[in-house]
């Protein structure tokens, strides 16, 4: 009755701006460079108990209770001050009172090191409501799902601060909604027809994959002990997942975030309130080495090779007495990653 689920990720990347150095800003003393290669490894697992209505009618359709933990590590050979080691642990409940309606709740504690020194301690609770939509056809096709979520994060920063205004301890909250549209199955796409019609095994394994898109909105409210980082933020999220022939897939995600800070910035020459606009674009191409159900001795095995680029552009109205745009930066991360799930 217990289910174990794990995922291992190993990858290497090149980061053009590890320390998020602002435009026209001099490299701080003690740092060799702002760009560097990075090697990362992460492992995450969950142990859960699934209770269907046939076992306990009082649960409705189903109830899942689980525990999980993991480790996420990223090392930079030349900018070791920005090595990141994160250790999360979680407990969660997922209840389906009626068919296709899910109520979830998760508590997560995480401890993060930056440069191998204590950096962040976080306690986060996240309730979620999800609705799966189906059509009226006999096979009740999955048309997509809608998610509503709230996140409350009590966060403590353990790094040294020079000024009281820079104290980022506080409450980080977000409220969001996201909808995913399943548009066409792979076996319904014209450009997939020749490949699937001539590869029966591929049709069995990949023919039910969806070409899907999602769009979402998130509101953030972050209240800290200091004043420099208090903000209200709005984010628009979108993305697309496209199945391709020969075991390939294409994924694209984007985020557009507007952040309005509540107090005059400690660093601005004219002491104005900070306002940022951030754009993030993530392009990735995946290749399915082994997909679920393909390897008979372990039918849950899923192995993918992922390569891509993540681009971030942040604009800010803050500049200091030296004319440095300390909060404005560009960043590109080029990487390849092996993902193993089971």
């Amino acid at each position: 009755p217990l289910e174990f689920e794990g995922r291992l990720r190993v990858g290497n990347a090149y980061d053009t701006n590890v320390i998020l150095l602002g435009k026209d800003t001099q490299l701080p003393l003690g740092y060799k460079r702002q760009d560097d290669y990075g090697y990362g490894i992460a492992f995450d697992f969950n142990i859960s108990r699934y209770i269907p209505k046939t076992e306990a009618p009082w649960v409705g359709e189903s109830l899942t209770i689980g525990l999980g933990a993991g480790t996420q590590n990223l090392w930079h050979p030349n900018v070791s001050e920005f090595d990141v080691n994160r250790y999360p642990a979680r407990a969660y409940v997922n209840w389906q009172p009626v068919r296709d309606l899910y109520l979830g709740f998760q508590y997560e504690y995480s401890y993060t090191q930056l440069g191998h020194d204590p950096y962040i301690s976080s306690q986060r609770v996240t309730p979620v409501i999800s609705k799966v939509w189906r059509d009226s056809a006999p096979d009740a096709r999955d048309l997509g799902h809608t998610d509503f979520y709230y996140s409350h994060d009590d966060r403590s920063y353990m790094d040294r601060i020079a000024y009281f205004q820079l104290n980022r301890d506080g409450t980080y909250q977000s409220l969001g909604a996201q909808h995913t549209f399943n548009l066409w199955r792979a076996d319904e796409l014209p450009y997939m027809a020749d490949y699937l019609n001539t590869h029966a095994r591929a049709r069995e394994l990949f023919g039910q994959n969806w070409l899907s898109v999602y769009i979402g909105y998130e509101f953030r409210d972050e209240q800290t002990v200091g004043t420099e980082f208090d903000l209200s933020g709005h984010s628009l999220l979108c993305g697309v997942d496209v199945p391709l022939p020969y075991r390939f897939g294409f994924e694209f995600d984007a985020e557009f975030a507007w952040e309005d800070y509540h107090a005059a910035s400690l660093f601005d020459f004219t002491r104005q309130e900070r306002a940022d606009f951030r754009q993030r674009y993530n392009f990735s191409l995946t290749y399915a080495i082994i997909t679920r159900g393909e390897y008979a001795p372990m039918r849950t095995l899923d192995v993918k090779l992922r390569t891509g680029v993540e681009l971030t552009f942040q604009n800010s109205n803050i500049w200091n007495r030296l004319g440095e745009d300390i909060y404005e930066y560009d960043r590109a991360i080029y990487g390849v990653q092996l993902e193993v799930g089971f």
Side-chain angles (χ1 to χ4, degrees), residues 8 20 25 43 52 59 70 72 74 85 90 132 171 191 207 222 233 241 255 258-259 272 299 308 313 331 336:
L8 173 70
L20 304 184
T25 303
F43 178 71
V59 304
Q72 303 163 9
L74 178 63
N85 305 97
R90 72 190 70 86
V132 177
T171 301
Y191 66 85
E222 302 179 2
D241 190 349
E255 177 188 10
W258 294 263
E259 297 174 341
Q272 63 179 329
R299 297 190 61 81
F313 308 97
R331 185 186 201 182
V336 60

Side-chain angles (χ1 to χ4, degrees), residues 9 16 62 102 116 131 141 183 282 308 318 324:
R9 297 179 176 90
T16 63
S62 67
Y102 296 87
H116 307 283
K131 176 68 172 73
R141 286 166 47 120
L183 300 180
N282 191 2
I318 299 302
E324 299 173 327

Side-chain angles (χ1 to χ4, degrees), residues 33 40 46 68 70 72 93 97 127 144 164 190 205 207 242 254 259-260 265 314:
R33 51 202 274 190
N46 292 311
Q72 303 163 9
V93 177
F164 172 80
L205 294 172
V242 183
E259 297 174 341
D260 294 319
S265 174
Q314 175 157 309

Side-chain angles (χ1 to χ4, degrees), residues 18 35 45 49 82 110 117 143 156 167 177 197 201 220 227 249 270 276 281 304 314 316 323 333 342:
V18 175
D35 64 309
F45 72 90
R49 175 72 161 89
F82 276 74
S110 65
D117 292 324
L143 300 179
S156 298
N167 191 329
N197 290 336
R201 184 58 169 162
R220 287 171 291 116
T227 59
T270 60
D276 292 356
Y281 306 95
K304 292 181 181 179
Q314 175 157 309
S316 181
I333 302 176
F342 53 90

Side-chain angles (χ1 to χ4, degrees), residues 161-337:
I161 57 175
Y163 301 97
F164 172 80
Q165 296 94 321
L166 301 180
N167 191 329
R168 289 177 285 178
D169 295 351
T171 301
Y172 295 69
Q173 301 181 84
S174 61
L175 179 67
Q178 183 171 300
H179 182 76
T180 300
F181 301 86
N182 291 333
L183 300 180
W184 300 282
R185 288 192 323 220
D187 56 10
E188 300 171 339
L189 297 171
Y191 66 85
M192 293 285 288
D194 290 342
Y195 171 67
L196 295 179
N197 290 336
T198 55
H199 297 77
R201 184 58 169 162
R203 172 179 285 273
E204 178 184 347
L205 294 172
F206 303 103
Q208 302 299 308
N209 292 350
W210 286 96
L211 190 160
S212 62
V213 299
Y214 75 85
I215 186 169
Y217 166 78
E218 181 177 280
F219 170 76
R220 287 171 291 116
D221 180 73
E222 302 179 2
Q223 302 293 330
T224 66
V225 174
T227 59
E228 182 71 16
F229 299 103
D230 289 355
L231 66 87
S232 298
H234 306 268
S235 296
L236 292 179
L237 312 167
C238 62
V240 61
D241 190 349
V242 183
L244 298 174
Y246 301 101
R247 295 175 168 263
F248 285 98
F250 173 76
E251 298 174 7
F252 168 75
D253 300 283
E255 177 188 10
F256 305 92
W258 294 263
E259 297 174 341
D260 294 319
Y261 290 78
H262 300 162
S265 174
L266 180 67
F267 301 102
D268 186 67
F269 179 66
T270 60
R271 296 289 291 167
Q272 63 179 329
E273 294 183 4
R274 177 181 166 189
D276 292 356
F277 172 56
R278 183 176 63 256
Q279 305 170 68
R280 182 187 58 82
Y281 306 95
N282 191 2
F283 305 85
S284 62
L285 186 68
T286 62
Y287 176 75
I289 301 174
I290 300 175
T291 193
R292 287 182 179 270
E294 182 174 7
Y295 183 58
M298 185 183 286
R299 297 190 61 81
T300 62
L301 184 63
D302 182 42
V303 183
K304 292 181 181 179
L305 187 66
R306 180 186 303 273
T307 183
V309 57
E310 180 179 309
L311 305 174
T312 304
F313 308 97
Q314 175 157 309
N315 300 105
S316 181
N317 63 331
I318 299 302
W319 53 282
N320 62 17
R321 294 179 180 275
L322 300 178
E324 299 173 327
D325 301 303
I326 59 173
Y327 289 130
E328 186 165 320
Y329 65 88
D330 295 339
R331 185 186 201 182
I333 302 176
Y334 308 89
V336 60
Q337 185 178 74

Side-chain angles (χ1 to χ4, degrees), residues 76-91:
H76 298 285
N78 296 295
V79 193
S80 60
E81 296 87 351
F82 276 74
D83 290 349
V84 177
N85 305 97
R86 183 173 182 267
Y87 308 97
R90 72 190 70 86

